[in-house]
Amino acid sequence: MNILVTGGAGFIGSNHIRHLLATTGDRIVNLDLLTYAGNLENLAGLEDHPRYRFVRGDIRDGELVGRVLAEERIDAVVHFAAESHVDRSLEAPGVFLDTNTRGTQVLLDLASRHRLARFVMVSTDEVYGSLAPESPGFSESSPLAPNSPYAASKAAADLVCRAYHRTFGLDVCITRCSNNYGPFQFPEKLIPLMIANALEDRPLPVYGDGLNVRDWLHVEDHCRAIDLVMRKGRSGEVYNIGGGNEWSNLALVKLLLAELGKPESLIEFVPDRPGHDRRYAIVADKIRGELGWRPLRPFAEGIRSTVAWYLANRSWWEKIRSGAYRDYYARFYGPGGRYERG
Ligand code: NAD
Ligand code: DAU
C-alpha cells in the first residue's frame, strides 16, 4: 500500500512512520508543513529509506494535496497534522480552526475525489470534554463537549469526517486517544517539559491544584492501535484508545522527579489553565473486543524508558529550547505571563 501520513514530522506522526516502516512493507509519504512542532530530526536516518518520502507542504493547500495523492498513487491517509497544544489555542484559536478543521476538510475533499480506500482521522479524547472524579470513562457514544479552542477544532474535524462518510461514502475511521507519552514529544507538553526543567533545576509549573487527571498511554501502543484501525477497523466507526492508566498531574510530576533523583521542592503551583478539563479517562472495550488491541507497554517501564530517552537525547530538546521556544516560554510562564506564579 501507499500511505500518506500527514504531520509525520511531529511527535506521534514520526513514531507512526517508524512503526510502519519497521512492521509493514508499505510505502510512506509524509506531508508536513514543519511548523514550530515539526522537526525532521524526529525522522533522522530515514532520509534515504527506499519506502519513505518527505514532502514539505500544507494540508490546507488543495492543489498540492491533490498532486501528492495522484503522483504517489496514495491508497490511504493517516491524518495527524494539527496544531496540538491546548495552551497555544488559548492565545491564538484561529490557526487551530484553520489547520485542524478546515485543513481536515480539504484533505477529506481530495480523499473523496481520488476515491481513496481509507481515511484515518486521528482525533482525541478531548472532544468529550471533562469527566467528574467518579464518572465512568468516555465511550464512543459519550456526547462531544469540547472545552478548549483546540478540542473544539478537533471535535469539528471529527464530525466533518463523519459527514464525509455518511454523505459522500468516503471510507473513514476515527480514533480518539488519551494522552500519549514517549520519545520525540515536543517539550511544551507536560512530561517532556517537566523532565527538561528538572534536569536544568528550573521550577516545575503545575497548573491549579495539580489534581487534574489524565489517562496516559505510550505512543507505540497508540501507533499500533491506529494501524490496526487502518487495516481492520469498520468503515464509519469511531474507536477509543486508552491505557486505563489515570494519574493526577501532581502524582505524575512527583514520579518523574523520583526517576530523575530531583527534589520535590522544584514543584511550583501556578495559576490554573482557563477551562482546564478536570479528568479524562477512556473506555477502550470496543477496540479491545473488535480488533484485539491492548496496550503492551506497562506504565512503570514506559515512563522509565521515556525518562532515559530524554536523558540520552539531551541535545534534541536543548536545541528546541534554545530557539523560538524561549519566547513561547516567556510569554506563558515568565513575568506577566498566564502561568506566572501568583
Ligand atoms: P505535534 O504538534 O507534535 O505534531 C503536529 C505535526 O503537524 C507537526 O509536525 C506540524 O509541523 C504538522 N502540521 C501542523 N500544521 C500543519 C499543516 N497545516 N499542514 C501540514 N502539517 C502540519 O502533535 P502530536 O502530539 O504528534 O499529535 C498528532 C495528532 O494526534 C494531532 O492531530 C493530535 O490532535 C492527535 N492526538 C494527540 C495526542 C497526544 O497526546 N499528543 C493524543 C490524542 C490525539
Ligand atoms: O488527551 C489527549 C490530548 O492530550 C491531545 O489531544 C493533545 O494534543 C495533547 O496536547 C494532550 O492535551 P493535554 O492538555 O492533556 O496535555 P498537556 O501536556 O498540555 O497537559 C497535561 C496536563 O498537565 C494538563 O492537565 C495540564 C497540565 N500541565 C501542563 C503543562 C504544559 C501543567 O500542570 N503544567 C504545564 O506546564
Side-chain angles (χ1 to χ4, degrees):
M1 260 209 294
N2 293 322
I3 301 173
L4 178 68
V5 171
T6 70
F11 163 47
I12 309 176
S14 62
N15 277 281
H16 196 67
I17 289 173
R18 288 183 189 283
H19 173 77
L20 288 173
L21 291 173
T23 60
T24 75
D26 294 333
R27 217 179 132 261
I28 314 302
V29 178
N30 172 14
L31 175 65
D32 196 299
L33 184 57
L34 299 183
T35 66
Y36 78 92
N39 184 352
L40 289 180
E41 286 187 28
N42 300 357
L43 297 153
L46 297 183
E47 298 82 359
D48 299 322
H49 195 291
R51 288 186 286 114
Y52 171 72
R53 185 183 164 212
F54 173 67
V55 178
R56 182 171 190 182
D58 194 327
I59 56 165
R60 294 165 292 185
D61 180 348
E63 199 267 318
L64 170 71
V65 171
R67 198 158 13 100
V68 170
L69 293 183
E71 286 176 4
E72 303 289 345
R73 299 171 178 279
I74 296 297
D75 301 297
V77 173
V78 186
H79 175 36
F80 293 96
E83 291 292 335
S84 68
H85 192 38
V86 172
D87 289 319
R88 290 184 191 252
S89 83
L90 310 177
E91 189 182 57
V95 68
F96 282 74
L97 288 160
D98 203 46
T99 292
N100 299 358
T101 312
R102 192 173 71 79
T104 299
Q105 184 268 328
V106 171
L107 285 175
L108 288 165
D109 239 11
L110 273 306
S112 290
R113 231 180 284 166
H114 288 255
R115 301 183 187 286
L116 297 198
R118 176 134 288 184
F119 185 101
V120 179
M121 168 66 190
V122 182
S123 186
T124 168
D125 64 354
E126 298 206 12
V127 298
Y128 296 119
S130 188
L131 274 177
E134 303 306 327
S135 303
F138 300 120
S139 75
E140 288 82 358
S141 56
S142 298
L144 302 198
N147 291 317
S148 70
Y150 161 72
S153 71
K154 293 290 292 188
D158 182 313
L159 292 176
V160 178
C161 287
R162 175 191 159 91
Y164 268 72
H165 172 71
R166 301 285 278 232
T167 307
F168 304 120
L170 181 66
D171 185 318
V172 175
C173 286
I174 297 167
T175 63
R176 296 180 185 149
C177 188
S178 60
N179 287 63
N180 283 214
Y181 70 96
F184 300 110
Q185 187 165 30
F186 196 85
E188 65 191 352
K189 306 283 167 58
L190 180 75
I191 289 180
L193 177 81
M194 296 298 169
I195 294 173
N197 278 18
L199 287 172
E200 292 180 339
D201 296 309
R202 291 169 191 256
L204 271 50
V206 171
Y207 300 163
D209 61 8
L211 299 181
N212 300 67
V213 169
R214 296 292 182 267
D215 176 354
W216 292 95
L217 182 73
H218 194 280
V219 63
E220 284 172 10
D221 283 322
H222 187 191
C223 293
R224 277 191 310 103
I226 290 170
D227 198 40
L228 263 179
V229 168
M230 191 191 81
R231 286 164 214 282
K232 298 187 176 154
R234 283 185 294 132
S235 182
E237 293 292 313
V238 175
Y239 293 91
N240 279 358
I241 305 166
N245 176 42
E246 293 183 49
W247 285 76
S248 74
N249 294 335
L250 188 56
L252 180 53
V253 168
K254 287 182 177 174
L255 174 72
L256 294 173
L257 287 169
E259 290 289 338
L260 291 163
K262 294 286 183 177
E264 291 186 5
S265 56
L266 284 176
I267 294 174
E268 187 173 274
F269 289 94
V270 299
D272 208 356
R273 174 187 275 176
H276 197 176
D277 287 334
R278 193 62 172 168
R279 174 175 166 243
Y280 304 143
I282 277 286
V283 175
D285 292 351
K286 181 171 170 182
I287 190 168
R288 283 173 177 265
E290 268 187 33
L291 305 184
W293 174 87
R294 66 187 169 87
L296 296 180
R297 302 289 304 261
F299 189 62
E301 173 276 319
I303 208 74
R304 198 160 297 143
S305 68
T306 298
V307 167
W309 189 89
Y310 285 93
L311 275 166
N313 292 278
R314 206 170 165 135
S315 62
W316 178 87
W317 55 263
E318 277 181 345
K319 203 187 284 180
I320 294 171
R321 282 168 48 112
S322 67
Y325 180 92
R326 281 193 183 172
D327 300 332
Y328 160 78
Y329 201 87
R331 272 202 323 279
F332 278 83
Y333 297 93
R338 191 183 295 282
Y339 299 124
E340 183 188 15
R341 184 166 49 163

